[in-house]
Amino acid sequence: MKEMEFSTSLLFFWVKGRVEVDNRFVKTNLSNTLLGFIPAGKDQQNIPLKNISGAMLSSKYYLKPILIGLLILFIGLGSFGSSFLTGLILLVLGVGIAGSGIRTILSIEKSGTPYLISVPFFEKQKMQSLNNLIHDALAEDTDKTDLNLFFDKKVQ
């Protein structure tokens, strides 16, 4: 069993999700939040490997948070002259909101419907590793039932 833990939010990095991959299931445990940071329960799923047809990784750019974040960033830069603290807070908030518009999404195709796991851009490497784990588990599961592989190994 291989387990991967990752952050699900850029600004609120303490909000975590976890995915476990073993030879039978992909188990997800993601935090649900209100307004992106107030904990509101968990989303847990146990997806049998037999029901997964594939996994795909993609990057998405959401224009609305990027533009709002840039607007707040520029307001923060403009307010440095009157209040340094206010300018700094707005600057950090603007960068965080703009950065949250860049997402890495792992799509697990289960029984014809996609199950999406969306994380900040800095977690892309972990999602790539998770994608590889799922593909390896699917290949191993397929190899277990492929009689041609069994007979080819026996002949050699």
Side-chain angles (χ1 to χ4, degrees):
M1 172 173 50
K2 295 177 178 90
E3 183 177 325
M4 191 78 55
E5 187 171 279
F6 47 86
S7 177
T8 58
S9 175
L10 177 68
L11 285 175
F12 307 104
F13 53 88
W14 59 85
V15 178
K16 299 283 185 185
R18 190 175 76 242
V19 175
E20 298 174 25
V21 179
D22 62 23
N23 60 351
R24 297 181 322 158
F25 291 98
V26 174
K27 300 174 184 175
T28 65
N29 188 349
L30 304 173
S31 298
N32 289 332
T33 58
L34 298 172
L35 304 175
F37 67 97
I38 301 168
K42 298 260 183 198
D43 176 23
Q44 296 178 321
Q45 293 221 6
N46 292 329
I47 308 167
L49 279 177
K50 299 280 185 208
N51 292 353
I52 297 175
S53 59
M56 181 181 76
L57 193 66
S58 63
S59 294
K60 298 267 183 181
Y61 300 91
Y62 297 100
L63 199 55
K64 188 175 179 181
I66 292 173
L67 291 176
I68 291 170
L70 289 175
L71 179 67
I72 293 172
L73 182 133
F74 288 129
I75 292 171
L77 286 174
S79 65
F80 266 125
S82 60
S83 172
F84 177 77
L85 185 61
T86 302
L88 184 63
I89 290 171
L90 288 175
L91 186 72
V92 169
L93 192 61
V95 168
I97 291 172
S100 70
I102 305 168
R103 306 291 291 177
T104 298
I105 299 172
L106 177 66
S107 176
I108 301 171
E109 193 74 28
K110 63 170 192 159
S111 301
T113 58
Y115 179 72
L116 304 176
I117 300 173
S118 180
V119 298
F121 65 91
F122 64 85
E123 295 284 18
K124 184 173 188 166
Q125 187 62 40
K126 288 183 181 178
M127 288 297 106
Q128 183 65 50
S129 297
L130 185 57
N131 190 30
N132 292 339
L133 283 174
I134 292 170
H135 283 279
D136 291 345
L138 287 171
E140 185 179 319
D141 188 54
T142 301
D143 289 348
K144 284 191 302 191
T145 58
D146 190 354
L147 293 177
N148 290 327
L149 288 175
F150 175 73
F151 288 120
D152 286 344
K153 287 180 184 177
K154 211 164 187 162
V155 170
Q156 294 175 356

